[in-house]
Amino acid sequence: MTNRSTTPGPLNCKNYDIPVFLQTQVMISAIMDINQRTPRLLPNLTLGYDIYDTCGDVNFAIMATLRLLKDQSDPHSCLPGNLSSTLPEPKTKAVIGERHSEVSVAVARVVALSSLPQISYASTSKLLSNKLKFPTFLRTISSDEYQTKAIAKFVVKMNWKTVAIVGSDDEYGMYGSDSLQQLFFNEEICVEFVTILSSDFSQNNSQTRTQLNKLVQSINESFAEAIILFSKEANADIILEAAIEKNLNRTWIASDAWATARKLAERKGIELAGQVFGFTYKMGEVPGFKEYVKSTFNGTNNTFIHNYLSCFDEPGENTDITKIDCSLTKSHRPCLHPSCLVNYIDQDHYNVYLAVQVIVEALRHLLKCNNQSCERSPNFTASEVNFTVNETHLFFDNNGDPSIGYDILYWNITGSKQGAQIITIGEYVLDRNVSISENNLTKHENVSIYNCSKTCSPGQELKSQVKKCCRKCVPCADGEFSPANGENCKICHKNQSSSAERDKCVDKPREFLDWQDPFSITLTSCGVLGIIVTIVFAILFSVYRSTPIVKAVGGYLCFLELFSLLICFCLTFSFMGKPTKTSCMVGLPVFGMAFSLCISCILANLLQILVGFSFDLKIRSWIKKLNQPVAVVTAVSGIQLALCVLWLYYYPPYPEEEESFSEETGSLHAYYPGDIIIGGLFPVHQMTNRSTTPGPLNCKNYDIPVFLQTQVMISAIMDINQRTPRLLPNLTLGYDIYDTCGDVNFAIMATLQLLKDQSDPHSCLPGNLSSSLPEPKTKAVIGERHSEVSVAVARVVALSSLPQISYASTSKLLSNKLKFPTFLRTISSDEYQTKAIAKFALNMKWKTVAIVGSDDEYGMYGSDSLQQLFFNEICVEFVTILSNDFSQNNSQTRTQLNELVQSINKSFAEAIILFSKEANADIILEAAIEKNLNRTWIASDAWATARKLAEMPGIELAGQVFGFTYKMGEVPGFKEYVKSTFNGTNNTFIHNYLSCFDEPGENTDITKIDCSLTKSHRPCLHPSCLVNYIDQDHYNVYLAVQVIVEALRHLLKCNNQSCERSPNFTASELLVEIQKVNFTVNETHLFFDNNGDPSIGYDILYWNITGSKQGAQIITIGEYGLDGNVSIFENLTKDENVSIYNCSKTCSKGQEFKLQDNKCCRKCVPCADGEFSPGNGENCKICFKNQSSSAERDECVDKPHEFLDWQDPFSITLTSCGVLGIIVTIVFAILFSVYRSTPIVKAVGGYLCFLELFSLLICFCLTFSFMGKPTKTSCMVGLPVFGMAFSLCISCILANLLQILVGFSFDLKIRSWIKKLNQPVAVVTAVSGIQLALCVLWLYYYPPYPEEEEVSITILLRCNKGSIAYFIAMICYNAFFALMCFLFAIKGKQLPDLYKNASRITISMLLFLTIWIIFIQAYINLVGKYKPAIESAAVLISSYSILGCHLAPKCYIMVFKKEINNEKIIAEYIRKHYEQKGMAVVKS
């Protein structure tokens, strides 16, 4: 690079690049090899070389190119005879270079002037493939178009769903980032963010450090799975250094500009930055070049080698080979030991070699050489060297692009001693698929490393979370489906619903009143009954037709009445079953006709009765007139018949499904001498006849507004020269104005003419590359109109530090003072225009737009910037980039136009933004009128004020047009000047115009003059019409002249009488003064910022059809200030809810947008359960863990805590039962205490019954532990204490049973072991003690605890058992002893038991076992707050089973049957029992 900055000063080169030095040696060695080879490839001819170090600087490169274009006959001349001819034939016949695309673009513009072939070895910009703009450019490296496709294919192959893009603010980086966004858009890969590095990013100043910090923070916070760095090596160096410092550890994708950079790969700690994949053109090796370098260039010497070796041979340089450090990253010297150079041979070296071979192969064909001689002399023109190499592996397509694909690289850390080793892991063949060796690659198919879902199960879709690119899987709502892979849930078609899994749409079952439906059966039965009854009635009426009663109901009319009713009953069947066309037509229409017949018969009968019994003569007279039965029936039913027939004929019921100038000329030139010359560049003709076929160039499409712009400049200069008092006393301004024909080559040649040396008018070459061109006579240039042409002109005028002021070029690129240090403008940058358009679209509440741009700096920046501004705000349905030759109207452009019109016609976009030049807008609007598109258009400033377009016939058919243009102003006195036919002034442009107008037979009758360009096929109009074509650009030209004059007054220190300084000044001095201008002219306050941009905003225009006699009237409806605010003066209708294409624009709360078939047309659908949306169509977001969505789905609310509340009816019931149990237990205890000495108390165990009652009392009290909000205490008390208490109860019953068995068992064997067990205290202690120990262990090691369980809309508070094993053990333990009691009780039923003790125990134990078996089943299956209620109920039933079956009967005997609570009665009962069994009983 150079030390170029915004501060003027001498330029020097810095940052010596060893690989590029080796590239020069590849070219030199290849040329030397061809000259020395035997047999000779070019016999009797010697190839030479002329190589320049451009220092990566555009200005240096242009000056070097001008030197290469020297005339053979006049080495000091590089100027053409005229603008439409090429430069003199240069001695140089081909150029190899340059490396950087941005520099190659500038060089290609210049070499094309001499049709000199240029072959680049490393410039990859797609822009250079345009043969209309760069007809002589070729390259031995693939275009970026294929590189971006390769990167996109690779990302898809790796199954990444989220990426970030970092580009640079140059042709290379802007195209790469823009193209990748388009490709990822089509592949549905989310671009989390796009960062464009400033042009001076590698300068390491405060602004760039701030940008670097923001970028690192964005990367650190992002969810992107890969960071694509599409920028030059210097920028990548800075970013990777920061990534290592911050230990970012991300995945990087390197563009070819730095993918093979060993300096970066060998950086210390590169593994901390993360893994790096890269793309580079197919690898090759220069034959013999490694050996040539190892031998220190075989003793060859040239300027570059001499410079390098002098750099190396410094005093004290260490020459010990074993101690040589070959790492650029550890060496601060610009050169390494020659033995190290072989390590820095890369792919660009092979591409340089290929370029030399291509030129040699072409020369052999051109000069018809064999191995002995060449038939043709080497005196040829460079234009003949425009070729295709056929007999090699390399050939060029029509765009000059080679047949070379890409290798996919990986920076492998493993096995590399230092840094990373760059290895090849795959390849990309042009326009085909990526193939990768996947051994070492990890692909996350389902979830990214940042825990973001990548694919979803069928029936789910990916939903954006906090970060727009991090998505989670959520189920589709009802009526939607997603087949899989996280596709957006789509709404099912009208007659479909989603399946249960939401993975597909299924046809909705057709529903109708089926014959088997109970309702149908009932109706059918009624209909059949009606038919039978009607027939029976008809028979009866027929039999008794002569009786009075039949006559009373109308006589024969009753038969018509019965017939109509019979039809009505039959029609009942037409409403059942699947509707058909016949059944629909028969149903109601026939019923209407039949029933009207019935009613007409009844009406006729009533009239008969009224006539017979009415004695009011007046009433009788008019009723008698109506008493015509046949006429009444015929009239009434006939009208209905006619009505129904018309209905059936015109609108029959049907079954449906209901869902739930053309002259060509040379360019023009006007010159007026003066002390100070101001240059002018104007595209008076809009274009040339340039094509890919060589031939003479002519200008065409005369542009009247631009012609008027030339006259604004001339009249303003003349006014300054003639004004009194003089602005520049004793000085005269002159002008040198060229018609550039809108062509870059014409503009460059015109610029070279303006840069002529004062002392040598034919010279335009500098003394050396680091100096500027000789001081030109022209001191400032006004122009050019188009940004693309201004870019090329600005590159050239910067060589002489000549200030250039454009009146219409709006590209943001031109604001870069490092690249365009002498450029200023009197029109705002596109940066503000795109912001104005975006603000306007938001102000209009549009949600969907389409963008149409052009393939040039203006259109590409506009479309790219608008996409960035609309990001996340407005949906861009499609972006179309018009080809460069779109206005040529050939077969290809017509195809593109048809595709564009079709896209617009099908789209849901609410506005079409056309960001392109006027010629393209002309073609598109003409097609829009023809196809009656009727859309809303937004015009960029390039055509917003184009009267020719506004006055097109039928412009209203295209639709409404809004436009943006810089703030309006009027050139003082210019309208009068034009109306007076330029006050008799004459210059080349006026002369040409008037000669064009004064054609033979021209109609000069002013009343018949047609001032419409759209109706005139001539390029000129009558002079009286010209005033209609004065537009805003004219005022900007006027401002440019005033700026130069104001700067001259300050520079020359002028007052109204004299100027202190002579006009001998340099252009750079004038530039400094222009940059400091701050003045007001005609109410316009003008100054320039640091970028050379003016302090002027935008007006918002509207093409108003109403009130205009022809076409549209362009009116101002608002403005956009540079503060970022839009203000609209007119009351524009804005639909804030639904677009004209029935797409939702805003949604109610609780709804979100869902895409339909078209990606930008969205409908409002309700959020699913557990999601919410605050409104305005925001995506439904999932509620947090302990929240649920409100009923309206507009917010998340905390889920209520659910538990068995004390007020719950179930709780009240259980509590009542528990209280009752406690009371009964206490009453029983009192009774047992009162009768403790009676036999019945002794029969139930004596003192054991009190333990039994105590345990039951505890169980009843435990009922309350299951109600209310669970606590640690209540959970620990519940079931564990119940287990202990109930085991105590069962142990008492078991001890009692053993007592009975011992007392009445006479089997000695059984009696002996039972007697051993008949230890009540021991039994109770042992049985309840084991359970006590078990429950204590449970409570100690795994105690139950309260927990929260999240269910659909609530949080359930419940007790966790702590240990299921202990719980089951407790239940099983009690169940085991309950079973033992049950068995012993059955055994005891055979014994004499007056009180039925064993029987009652059998029932109570059976109830206990049954209840807990049922409880376990219910407990497993039940979910919700009533689970503890089941536990409580089980405890209550268990307790009541003992209380009710075992103890209650005993209390009943105590209170109500005291007579059997007697020992004698018991003894008598036992005696009788045994006597009945035939056993002897001892009597007392």
Side-chain angles (χ1 to χ4, degrees), residues 760-781:
D760 183 3
H762 295 288
S763 176
C764 60
L765 292 178
N768 58 71
L769 297 195
S770 59
S771 65
S772 61
L773 291 179
E775 184 63 33
K777 187 170 185 179
T778 303
K779 298 302 180 183
V781 175

Side-chain angles (χ1 to χ4, degrees), residues 87 92 99 153 535 715 842 890 951 1013 1102 1136 1182:
L87 292 179
T92 303
R99 186 181 189 187
K153 289 277 187 183
I535 293 172
S715 66
L842 289 170
N890 55 38
E951 293 180 357
L1013 279 175
Y1102 180 65
E1136 300 192 9
I1182 299 173

Side-chain angles (χ1 to χ4, degrees), residues 1305-1316:
S1305 177
F1306 299 102
D1307 188 328
L1308 296 177
K1309 291 181 180 180
I1310 296 173
R1311 181 184 175 92
S1312 63
W1313 67 265
I1314 291 178
K1315 194 172 184 179
K1316 293 175 183 178

Side-chain angles (χ1 to χ4, degrees), residues 128 254 305 383 388 503 692 747 811 818 987 1056 1069 1227 1360 1373:
L128 289 161
I305 293 177
S383 61
T388 300
D503 60 340
T692 54
S811 172
L818 280 174
N987 54 61
N1056 293 338
E1069 289 179 286
V1227 170
N1360 187 294
Y1373 185 84

Side-chain angles (χ1 to χ4, degrees), residues 1237-1258:
S1237 57
T1238 59
I1240 198 165
V1241 174
K1242 294 176 182 178
V1244 291
Y1247 64 88
L1248 291 176
C1249 69
F1250 293 101
L1251 279 177
E1252 189 175 343
L1253 285 166
F1254 174 71
S1255 66
L1256 290 176
L1257 182 65
I1258 293 172

Side-chain angles (χ1 to χ4, degrees), residues 44-58:
N44 304 322
L45 295 175
T46 302
L47 291 180
Y49 56 80
D50 192 3
I51 304 176
Y52 289 88
D53 176 9
T54 64
C55 303
D57 186 272
V58 173

